[in-house]
Amino acid sequence: MTRYIYCGGAYPYKIHQLDPADMSKVAESESYEHTIYALAADASHIYCGGYTTNRVWQIDPSDMSKVAESISYGGYIRALAADASHIYCGGYTNKVW
């Protein structure tokens, strides 16, 4: 199984899948529409959150497609964490999902 490195950030507002052997870009997601501040992963998906959309996206790493999207968090998402059964989200609101 190939393991990849995932990164996101400002323009072009996408998650990039990198091959750690040579740091080449293997694939990328569609645009998140603004800055990606947080990434997390579980055994089967990559998750991203950030500015403007205020939503968590679930990405399939096999083809980097968006699988699902959460409801609005209500503010910028600055942190994501994953365990075996949940995704946790924090940011510019007074709540943690």
Side-chain angles (χ1 to χ4, degrees), residues 13 32-37 49-57 69 71-78 92:
Y13 317 126
Y32 183 73
E33 299 174 20
H34 217 289
T35 304
I36 297 168
Y37 287 127
Y51 182 76
T52 302
T53 69
N54 304 327
R55 298 170 190 273
V56 177
W57 281 14
E69 180 177 314
I71 62 170
S72 177
Y73 174 68
Y76 308 156
I77 296 168
R78 295 296 295 221
Y92 287 103

Side-chain angles (χ1 to χ4, degrees), residues 4-75:
Y4 296 106
I5 296 170
Y6 297 91
C7 61
Y11 186 80
Y13 317 126
K14 298 178 180 184
I15 300 172
H16 290 201
Q17 185 182 59
L18 306 177
D19 183 338
D22 61 5
M23 298 306 290
S24 62
K25 183 172 70 172
V26 176
E28 66 185 22
S29 69
E30 67 182 88
S31 176
Y32 183 73
E33 299 174 20
H34 217 289
T35 304
I36 297 168
Y37 287 127
L39 292 174
D42 63 16
S44 59
H45 293 93
I46 307 300
Y47 302 89
C48 71
Y51 182 76
T52 302
T53 69
N54 304 327
R55 298 170 190 273
V56 177
W57 281 14
Q58 182 184 47
I59 305 292
D60 181 344
S62 69
D63 62 4
M64 297 303 288
S65 63
K66 181 172 73 168
V67 175
E69 180 177 314
S70 73
I71 62 170
S72 177
Y73 174 68

